[in-house]
């Protein structure tokens, strides 16, 4: 017979004052947004009748922006947990080849809305399916979101991907170059500072996304650095271990 | 004609309940709801549901867990043995706010539910999950 275990520490954990506070904070934000997203989804599915292509276009925009807010809430929440080392490192099956196929298609679709070109250059021997942190996919998704956003219209986002290391935890090494925002190295590093406006025009410093990407990369044993791409824009060097460490 | 399956949703977000009601009724299900764990446990005998969609944070942080406990702990609540085969689909946005991994714990001794979905849930996926739970 299946029975709950009320004395389990993971249930006790949610009743402490800190968890009560953080639970309510994120629950209230995310709960409201989730309801909006479900409304939009239901409308797009035709719950009140057929939706015209024009109506669907606006509903899609609203839904995409709500999803973005949900993602920001998730990132901010997990950032707070990484800072006190309480974020649990999980492991999931990860297929680098399939992941990059999906990622490159999605990035190209997003970029094409702003007439931005994308180019991906992969090594031929990406490792096969293995264990990895769910943070890997989130970091890549968030990082590309910012880099595409700060690329000038008509510009290029190009990526080279290679694998370094042959041990049990090889590293995925990405160099992502974006045409548009070029700043000196010192200023670029301030992008990762909390509560700091990094200056007009430096869109890379908006919000918490870059901060989250670096913190998450380091939390799983990787790193993220930004550097100028002389005369062109910005270069991001991202290293991510392909097997979860510390579990 | 087959009897319509009756879905009982327990959630304090009345707007969300309205949406799910519309989606499920349009798909041919009967629908009933409660806005708290206390209300759910008070009226469940009148509802006799085939499946329960359950939120976690309602009148308190662990209200949904209390419903699960009462409906699945037959030693403490033998009168609820009749709900043994009623599927519980937990649908909440708090998974990541707690230390629990609901998706991994679903069906375990710790979290004796039948399925877990994290909000926001696409209506189509919700319908698929309900159909799967009702027909297994």
């Amino acid at each position: 017979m299946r029975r709950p275990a009320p004395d389990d520490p993971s249930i006790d954990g949610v009743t402490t004052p800190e968890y009560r506070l953080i639970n309510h904070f994120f629950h209230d934000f995310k709960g409201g947004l989730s309801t909006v997203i479900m409304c939009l989804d239901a409308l797009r599915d035709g719950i009140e009748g057929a939706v015209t292509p024009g109506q669907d276009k606006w509903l899609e925009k609203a839904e995409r922006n709500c999803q973005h807010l949900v993602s920001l809430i998730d990132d901010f929440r997990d950032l707070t947990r990484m800072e006190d080392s309480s974020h649990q490192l999980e492991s999931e099956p990860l297929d680098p080849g399939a992941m990059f196929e999906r990622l490159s298609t999605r990035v190209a679709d997003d970029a094409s809305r702003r007439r931005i070109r994308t180019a991906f250059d992969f090594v031929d021997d990406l490792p096969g399916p293995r264990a990895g942190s769910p943070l890997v996919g989130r970091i890549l998704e968030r990082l590309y979101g910012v880099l595409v956003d700060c690329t000038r219209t008509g510009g290029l986002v190009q990526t080279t991907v290679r694998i370094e290391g042959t041990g049990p935890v090889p590293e995925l090494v990405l160099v992502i170059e974006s045409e548009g925002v070029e700043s000196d190295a010192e200023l670029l590093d301030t992008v990762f500072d909390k509560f700091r406006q990094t200056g007009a025009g430096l869109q890379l410093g908006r919000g918490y996304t870059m901060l989250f990407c670096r913190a998450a990369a380091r939390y799983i044993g990787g790193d993220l650095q930004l550097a100028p791409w002389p005369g062109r824009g910005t270069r991001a060097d991202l290293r991510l271990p392909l097997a979860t460490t510390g579990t | 004609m087959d009897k319509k399956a009756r879905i009982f949703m327990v959630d304090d977000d009345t707007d969300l309940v309205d949406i799910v009601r519309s989606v499920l009724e349009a798909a041919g299900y009967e629908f009933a709801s409660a806005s708290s764990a206390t209300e759910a446990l008070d009226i469940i005998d009148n509802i006799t549901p085939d499946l329960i969609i359950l939120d976690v944070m309602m009148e308190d942080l662990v209200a949904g867990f209390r419903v699960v406990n009462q409906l699945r702990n037959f030693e403490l609540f033998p009168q609820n043995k009749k709900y043994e085969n009623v599927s519980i689909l937990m649908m909440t946005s708090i998974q990541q706010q707690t230390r629990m991994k609901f998706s991994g714990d679903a069906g375990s001794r710790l979290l004796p539910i039948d399925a877990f979905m994290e909000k926001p849930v696409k209506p189509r996926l919700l319908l698929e999950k309900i159909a799967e739970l009702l027909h297994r």
Side-chain angles (χ1 to χ4, degrees), chain A residues 19 22-23 26-27 77 81, chain B residues 93-98:
Chain A
Y19 277 91
I22 207 158
N23 280 349
F26 290 118
H27 178 268
R77 173 202 63 209
R81 304 195 120 196
Chain B
S93 59
I94 77 159
Q95 167 175 244
Q96 298 291 337
Q97 278 88 278
T98 69

Side-chain angles (χ1 to χ4, degrees), chain A residues 1-4 8 14 19 23-24 27 30 34-35 38-39 41 45 47 63 77 81 88 90, chain B residues 13 16 19 57 61 69 72 74-75 94 96-99 101 109-110 118 120-124:
Chain A
M1 187 191 297
R2 299 172 303 174
R3 293 193 194 94
D8 188 278
V14 302
Y19 277 91
N23 280 349
H24 282 297
H27 178 268
K30 203 170 170 184
S34 296
T35 300
M38 279 195 81
C39 284
D41 269 333
D45 285 349
I47 191 78
E63 187 184 341
R77 173 202 63 209
R81 304 195 120 196
Q88 290 183 334
E90 294 175 5
Chain B
D13 183 338
L16 182 68
I19 302 162
M57 284 176 69
L61 205 60
N69 187 44
R72 290 290 189 256
F74 307 130
E75 281 181 4
I94 77 159
Q96 298 291 337
Q97 278 88 278
T98 69
R99 293 178 193 276
K101 288 174 280 184
R109 195 178 67 90
L110 174 63
E118 182 165 14
V121 175
K122 290 201 173 293
R124 252 178 293 192

